[in-house]
Amino acid sequence: MKGMRWGLGLLAAAALFLQAPAMPAAEAATVNVPENIFQWVQSTPRQNYFFNKQQIKYAIDAKGNVDLNTLIVPTLRTYDDIMVRDVVSKRRWKQLPVDKYGDLAGAAEYLRINLKAQTVQVVEHDDLDSTFTVINRDMDAETPVNYATLSEKDVDGCFYRTIVQYAEKHQDELIERTGAPLSKADKKALEHKKKAAPK
């Protein structure tokens, strides 16, 4: 269900904004990405990295409260032609189907970020075509990666740390979007944090 919501959301965005102004991008990028939905973070020669600033939020804990230690983050990467060929070649090598990959444009991933442990886990990976339609979905969660141990120049490390910094700056917005109450302890801690913040 989660992946379906992501795919439908991307499809709607694509229908409305496919002609949006181009953002910083790898050469030969095949799609434009709506700036009001996705926050661009960085580009490499092969990929462009974004996260969904309209859907990033906190997880909900077992008691039904906002879990301020866990972020749920939909992300998007768009590919250049060389990256597309590389993905298709790897699928062929693994003897996986490639019949829908003639229009491959990028990938959407759901990240689960544990702020306390400083780890990131990819819990869903979707390959996307140029209309942002999901052409393959992988629901096998990957092993968590400790982003604190990644170098300052590591592309993934820079991506994850930027997301964490954004979440910190937009904490109230993320809490509201999560749609659950704060625990009494967290509410008190946040009130104290705001009072102690420089004016």
Side-chain angles (χ1 to χ4, degrees):
M1 182 65 69
K2 175 180 64 179
M4 185 177 295
R5 288 200 303 271
W6 167 257
L8 291 175
L10 277 174
L11 188 58
L16 291 172
F17 299 105
L18 201 53
Q19 301 304 317
M23 306 186 73
E27 289 185 25
T30 55
V31 294
N32 291 322
V33 177
E35 297 179 47
N36 65 324
I37 297 175
F38 296 97
Q39 177 67 48
W40 173 82
V41 173
Q42 62 190 0
S43 293
T44 69
R46 303 281 76 89
Q47 302 182 62
N48 307 299
Y49 291 72
F50 308 82
F51 66 89
N52 190 319
K53 59 187 176 183
Q54 289 190 0
Q55 292 187 16
I56 180 175
K57 62 182 180 179
Y58 291 106
I60 298 175
D61 66 20
K63 295 182 180 179
N65 295 319
V66 174
D67 180 358
L68 293 177
N69 286 320
T70 308
L71 292 172
I72 304 298
V73 190
T75 67
L76 172 68
R77 287 180 288 128
T78 59
Y79 300 156
D80 81 333
D81 292 339
I82 295 175
M83 183 67 184
V84 167
R85 290 197 294 270
D86 184 57
V87 171
V88 173
S89 294
K90 287 180 179 177
R91 288 187 64 82
R92 285 198 177 107
W93 184 77
K94 294 178 180 178
Q95 297 185 332
L96 296 172
V98 295
D99 55 309
K100 296 181 180 179
Y101 279 73
D103 192 32
L104 177 67
E109 292 183 334
Y110 266 92
L111 306 182
R112 187 177 184 88
I113 301 179
N114 186 318
L115 299 172
K116 189 173 183 180
Q118 295 186 300
T119 59
V120 177
Q121 183 180 34
V122 177
V123 296
E124 179 181 331
H125 175 100
D126 298 335
D127 289 327
L128 307 173
D129 67 16
S130 62
T131 66
F132 291 132
T133 299
V134 177
I135 58 177
N136 186 69
R137 174 166 293 134
D138 184 355
M139 300 289 289
D140 293 330
E142 297 182 3
T143 302
V145 173
N146 189 323
Y147 61 83
T149 64
L150 301 176
S151 76
E152 291 298 318
K153 295 183 179 180
D154 183 270
V155 174
D156 288 334
C158 292
F159 186 45
Y160 301 147
R161 284 188 285 269
T162 299
I163 292 171
V164 170
Q165 291 166 5
Y166 178 93
E168 177 66 23
K169 291 179 180 177
H170 297 81
Q171 187 172 51
D172 290 343
E173 179 185 332
L174 268 61
I175 291 171
E176 182 178 355
R177 184 177 299 130
T178 302
L182 288 167
S183 67
K184 291 182 179 179
D186 284 340
K187 188 174 182 180
K188 186 175 180 180
L190 287 180
E191 289 174 351
H192 182 269
K193 177 182 174 183
K194 288 178 181 179
K195 288 179 181 178
K199 301 298 182 181

